[in-house]
């Protein structure tokens, strides 16, 4: 065997081993590296009240209501598996709206309501001009992900 | 804030980075090749 | 590839190629950016901020593509001992780091009006920041070995530096899959094998800027390779003179 081939095999073996180790570490970190909890995660794993977390999902259409004080809003967050009620007092980002994604920072109170201290808007991977908004989305070519 | 302010900032950062990288790379190449050509005798 | 092992032969091709890549690349990326700024419609949700897409995506592509190039060069250096591989790796590092930084900066500027934040430690942003630090590490290692005159036959890239370049490539698939593996604030991939979820009326300038930035990047790499080769030539002559 030529030295060149030995080096090639050595380099490839090392690359495979390192990639394997890296991916193993990443998959072990899967839960820790998750940026937010989805309502379904909250239901299955349970999050104790008062623990600071991020809650991410879609704002349920028709659930957004403004409290009489004018600054507090109430809305429901869903991921299709579970739905969690949330409140927030303050200025929401422009892209925060019903039927769109949200990541809320805060904690659950004792009654299972998520009290958000900060809201971030999360948009999906679709981009289109305004004229196309609301038109039927071609689900065969690029489906909408349901887990978000 | 105006959306265009963010767009202009992003394009400005990119244009500056691209221009500086172009200039510095070209100047380094030019200087190095001039110095190499100025070497006495055959390489 | 060993046909190009001789620097003279490489330079014979690289000299004219530099201009042929640089000017069309620059023209295409300026045209693409202009089209993206003025000709495409605004997004239904984000409005005009969507135009950052046309530079953010090429920057991400070049940042990640640059490290892929460094890893391939490292492989060619370690396995085939190709004399130009180290030169290529060193030439890629600075523009690759620049575009990783531009990707982070434009992403941050885009995040403020859309998400409501400049920076969040989600999977995509964190792994991209790691890539930037990897570039800085590679540049520091390569500069150190080049300055100490080590690995003169390998373009100044020591074996340790090349191994670092190869190992760092693990981060590339992690960046790519980060939005799929983890819940993240960054949206999922828009362009997949199944098609694009960016409407055609918004998508087309991206092709121009992607191609333009790629050609321009290749020209910059050639310029930097030519500079390193010329510097090496001068240094080799100086050493020969010093030895008498």
């Amino acid at each position: 065997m030529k030295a060149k081939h030995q080096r090639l095999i050595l380099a490839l073996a090392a690359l495979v081993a390192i990639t394997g180790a890296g991916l193993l570490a990443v998959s072990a970190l899967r839960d820790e590296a998750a940026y937010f909890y989805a309502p379904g995660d909250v239901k299955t794993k349970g999050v104790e009240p008062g623990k600071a977390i991020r809650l991410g999902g879609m704002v349920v259409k028709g659930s957004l209501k403004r409290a009489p004080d004018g600054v507090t809003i109430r809305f429901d967050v869903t991921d299709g598996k579970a739905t969690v009620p949330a409140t927030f007092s303050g200025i929401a980002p422009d892209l925060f709206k019903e039927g769109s994604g949200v990541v809320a920072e805060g904690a659950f109170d004792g009654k299972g309501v998520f009290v958000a201290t900060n809201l971030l808007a999360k948009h999906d991977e679709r981009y289109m001009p305004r004229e196309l908004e609301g038109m039927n989305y071609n689900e065969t070519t690029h489906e909408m992900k349901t887990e978000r | 804030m105006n959306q265009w302010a963010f767009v202009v900032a992003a394009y400005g950062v990119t244009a500056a980075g691209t221009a500086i990288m172009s200039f510095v790379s070209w100047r380094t190449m030019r200087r190095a090749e001039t110095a190499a050509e100025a070497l006495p005798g055959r390489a | 590839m060993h046909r190009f092992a001789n620097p003279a032969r490489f330079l014979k091709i690289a000299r004219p190629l530099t201009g042929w890549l640089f000017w069309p690349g620059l023209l295409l990326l300026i045209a693409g950016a202009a089209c993206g700024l003025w000709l495409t419609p605004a997004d239904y949700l984000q409005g005009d901020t969507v135009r950052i897409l046309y530079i953010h995506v090429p920057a991400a592509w070049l940042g990640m593509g640059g490290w892929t190039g460094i890893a391939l060069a490292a492989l060619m250096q370690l396995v085939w001992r190709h004399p130009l591989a180290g030169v290529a790796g060193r030439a890629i590092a600075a523009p690759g780091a620049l575009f990783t930084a531009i990707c982070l900066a434009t992403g941050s500027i885009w995040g403020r009006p859309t998400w409501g934040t400049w920076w969040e430690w989600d999977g995509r942003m964190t792994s991209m920041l790691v890539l930037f630090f990897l570039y800085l590490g590679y540049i520091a290692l390569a500069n150190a070995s080049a300055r100490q005159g080590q690995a003169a036959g390998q373009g100044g890239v020591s074996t340790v530096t090349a191994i670092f370049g190869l190992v760092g490539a693990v981060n590339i698939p992690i960046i790519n899959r980060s939005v799929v593996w983890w819940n993240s604030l960054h949206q999922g991939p828009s362009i997949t094998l199944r098609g694009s979820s960016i409407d055609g009326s918004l998508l087309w300038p991206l092709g121009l800027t992607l191609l333009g930035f790629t050609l321009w990047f290749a020209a910059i790499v050639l310029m930097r390779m030519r500079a390193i080769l010329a510097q090496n030539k001068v240094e080799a002559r100086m050493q020969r003179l010093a030895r008498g």
Side-chain angles (χ1 to χ4, degrees):
Chain A
M1 195 191 278
K2 279 202 286 185
K4 184 164 73 175
H5 293 138
Q6 256 176 359
R7 291 198 301 264
L8 178 61
I9 291 164
L10 195 70
L12 290 181
L15 202 61
V16 168
I18 292 158
T19 311
L23 295 186
L24 204 69
V26 161
S27 78
L29 277 171
R30 206 162 174 150
D31 286 341
E32 283 74 12
Y35 176 68
F36 58 77
Y37 286 82
D41 302 333
V42 174
K43 198 166 97 180
T44 51
K45 285 175 207 147
V47 176
E48 63 258 44
K51 187 190 174 196
I53 63 157
R54 295 193 193 90
L55 177 74
M58 302 295 269
V59 182
V60 178
K61 277 198 172 124
S63 71
L64 183 62
K65 297 204 171 56
R66 197 164 283 277
D69 65 6
V71 280
T72 304
I73 51 173
R74 295 171 180 281
F75 52 94
D76 293 339
V77 180
T78 185
D79 63 346
K81 295 177 199 134
T83 302
V84 168
T87 69
F88 173 67
S89 304
I91 299 159
D94 294 345
L95 264 61
F96 174 80
K97 52 177 85 165
E98 289 182 347
S100 195
V102 65
V103 176
E105 296 173 330
F108 282 100
D109 67 7
K111 284 169 276 178
V113 176
F114 189 79
V115 182
T117 53
N118 189 27
L119 284 190
L120 301 174
K122 178 175 160 58
H123 61 87
D124 62 26
E125 61 275 17
R126 290 178 300 156
Y127 300 88
M128 58 186 144
R130 286 198 180 92
E131 302 85 73
L132 289 184
E133 191 192 355
M135 280 177 71
N136 279 336
Y137 182 56
N138 190 343
E139 306 229 354
T140 53
T141 49
H142 24 76
E143 61 196 2
M144 263 281 280
K145 292 221 178 67
T146 46
E147 64 259 27
R148 279 200 314 273
Chain B
M1 220 194 294
N2 184 1
Q3 287 184 331
W4 277 100
F6 292 99
V7 177
V8 167
Y11 275 75
V13 166
T14 309
T18 307
I20 292 169
M21 180 56 70
S22 300
F23 177 70
V24 169
S25 301
W26 179 79
R27 195 187 55 184
T28 315
M29 178 190 81
R30 198 62 199 269
R31 281 185 182 166
E33 290 194 336
T34 313
E37 276 160 23
L39 286 176
R42 283 170 55 85
Chain C
M1 281 318 271
H2 273 268
R3 269 187 301 143
F4 300 112
N6 178 354
R9 192 171 291 167
F10 166 79
L11 285 173
K12 212 175 148 192
I13 298 161
R15 282 214 176 94
L17 199 57
T18 309
W20 279 106
L21 289 171
F22 184 84
W23 294 111
L26 196 67
L27 205 69
L28 268 175
L29 75 88
I30 290 173
C35 293
L37 281 174
W38 290 295
L39 293 187
T40 55
D43 182 64
Y44 77 105
L45 186 65
Q46 303 185 14
D48 286 313
T49 44
V50 76
R51 299 179 196 284
I52 298 172
L53 178 94
Y54 306 117
I55 50 172
H56 179 72
V57 173
W61 147 244
L62 289 177
M64 291 162 72
W67 196 278
T68 310
I70 286 179
L72 287 175
L75 195 67
M76 294 204 50
Q77 173 178 340
L78 294 173
V79 175
W80 289 280
R81 304 265 192 257
H82 195 290
L84 284 179
V87 178
R90 240 169 93 201
I92 293 171
L98 172 75
F99 273 88
T100 306
I102 286 178
C103 177
L104 289 165
T106 54
S108 176
I109 293 168
W110 198 357
R112 185 71 196 87
T114 46
W115 300 335
T117 180
W118 297 105
W119 181 265
E120 287 293 319
W121 294 99
D122 93 330
R124 173 57 66 85
M125 288 161 240
T126 309
S127 54
M128 203 65 191
L129 187 66
V130 167
L131 178 66
F132 182 65
F133 290 142
L134 285 175
Y135 269 116
L136 296 187
Y138 182 90
I139 291 170
L141 281 172
N143 282 351
S145 60
R147 202 169 32 240
Q148 288 160 13
Q150 292 172 356
Q154 307 173 40
V157 174
S158 64
T159 303
V160 174
T161 315
I163 291 172
F164 182 80
L166 206 55
V167 170
V170 177
N171 193 30
I172 299 298
I174 294 177
I175 296 174
N176 184 261
R177 304 319 291 166
S178 57
V179 290
V180 179
W181 287 343
W182 300 306
N183 289 336
S184 60
L185 182 61
H186 194 286
Q187 71 284 2
S190 291
I191 299 168
T192 62
L193 291 176
R194 278 199 308 274
S196 159
S197 55
I198 305 175
D199 186 71
S201 62
L202 267 83
L203 184 63
W204 62 271
L206 182 60
L208 296 180
T209 52
L210 268 175
L211 185 64
F213 272 112
T214 307
L215 296 179
W216 175 88
F217 191 90
I220 295 294
V221 170
L222 285 181
M223 283 186 203
R224 302 183 78 87
M225 285 180 77
R226 286 169 59 182
I228 294 168
L229 287 173
Q231 283 158 2
N232 286 355
K233 195 173 161 189
V234 172
E235 265 163 43
R237 180 65 67 87
M238 295 296 179
Q239 277 168 6
R240 223 176 307 156
L241 286 177
R243 265 186 264 120

